[in-house]
Amino acid sequence: MIDIHSHLLPGVDDGSPSLAVSVPVLTRMKAEGVTAVVCTPHWNASRAATAPVADYQERLALLKAAVPEGPALHLGFEILLDAPGVDLSMPGLTLAGTRALLVEFSRGPLPPGATAELRRLVTSGFVPVVTHPERYLGCTLEMVQSWRAFGVVIQVEARALERKGQHAVMARAMLADGLIDLVASDNHGDDRSIAAVRDWMIAHGGQVQAELLTRLNPDRLLSGRSLDPVPAMATSAMDRVRRLFGG
């Protein structure tokens, strides 16, 4: 499995504060079958020109040295699209040096220009990976579908699929409509894991979906290839009824 979204680079954001926290998490991930992890510290688009790429690469080297038997580690950023039209072509901002750019919106309602900004990134040559869309107020299945139609990749937080509440309802609705391209842990130095959601999907009859969302599509993304479509997966009777009647 490959985890493209984590906050395990120590001491740089609200994620892991130290090597002492990150190393056990990565060791556990390796034991669960995670072969590669992208460390994606938070950064704002409005500050893209000052992103501390060289410093973070040095920190990543220290993390690699501290867990030599762990997953392969790569660097990227989770970019908050807090300002439109910003040049994000600075080397080092994308996931592991690819064209894939992990992006998020602030908690709360989606900004009015969200779709236009994602389209701008696509036309600029990026593959925007929208992280945890299940969180954003005003984000609908129709909106997610339209984003994917012009080249956006959709990444759901793994634990959202297993939990209860509004975020889980949206995440499972996207899964039931085949609108998720991959899942990631968004681990902040805690117990979050993509292994758990892989097992959850398999337990619900989603062996194919689990393989695509946790291994095949993340691998294709990091190798610059097009992602494979993920079949719709209804995990409850309510999901099946909603899909049957288009609700």
Side-chain angles (χ1 to χ4, degrees):
M1 294 179 291
I2 298 173
D3 194 344
I4 67 149
H5 179 187
S6 73
H7 297 272
L8 293 172
L9 195 66
V12 298
D13 61 7
D14 62 342
S16 170
S18 65
L19 284 172
V21 171
S22 294
V23 169
V25 173
L26 289 166
T27 301
R28 170 181 57 81
M29 286 181 169
K30 179 70 172 183
E32 292 172 340
V34 176
T35 59
V37 173
V38 186
C39 295
T40 52
H42 290 290
W43 202 256
N44 289 2
S46 59
R47 301 171 60 208
T50 62
V53 175
D55 174 43
Y56 285 9
Q57 288 172 336
E58 292 178 3
R59 290 173 183 263
L60 186 70
L62 292 175
L63 183 57
K64 288 180 178 179
V67 58
E69 302 302 321
L73 297 178
H74 305 283
L75 182 64
F77 284 82
E78 181 181 11
I79 304 294
L80 174 65
L81 298 178
D82 64 328
V86 175
D87 180 5
L88 298 178
S89 62
M90 175 182 174
L93 294 182
T94 60
L95 299 178
T98 66
R99 296 185 301 113
L101 190 70
L102 189 71
V103 298
E104 67 171 339
F105 297 101
S106 59
R107 289 180 180 265
L110 279 171
T115 296
E117 182 64 8
L118 292 174
R119 191 182 296 276
R120 182 189 72 85
L121 291 175
V122 171
T123 59
S124 298
F126 294 107
V127 178
V129 182
V130 174
T131 185
H132 41 61
E134 68 275 7
R135 296 184 188 177
Y136 306 133
L137 294 176
C139 185
T140 65
L141 297 177
E142 292 76 18
M143 186 177 294
V144 171
Q145 188 172 37
S146 72
W147 291 347
R148 294 177 77 245
F150 62 77
V152 172
V153 169
I154 300 297
Q155 178 251 299
V156 162
E157 184 182 347
R159 67 177 180 177
L161 289 167
E162 304 174 82
R163 291 188 165 191
K164 296 180 180 179
Q166 185 176 354
H167 296 170
V169 170
M170 180 61 173
R172 287 198 290 268
M174 285 190 283
L175 185 66
D177 281 1
L179 298 178
I180 303 176
D181 296 300
L182 36 78
V183 297
S185 71
D186 196 8
N187 189 292
H188 277 61
D190 46 46
D191 63 352
R192 278 178 268 189
S193 171
I194 58 174
V197 79
R198 173 202 60 191
D199 296 343
W200 177 85
M201 285 188 284
I202 292 172
H204 286 80
Q207 176 75 45
V208 170
Q209 289 85 353
E211 181 77 353
L212 284 165
L213 292 170
T214 67
R215 190 178 73 84
L216 296 179
N217 273 349
D219 178 65
R220 294 183 73 85
L221 185 76
L222 296 185
S223 58
R225 293 177 290 165
S226 298
L227 276 57
D228 288 332
V230 179
M233 178 185 167
T235 60
S236 68
M238 182 175 296
D239 286 340
R240 289 186 285 272
V241 169
R242 187 182 61 78
R243 292 196 74 240
L244 181 63
F245 292 99

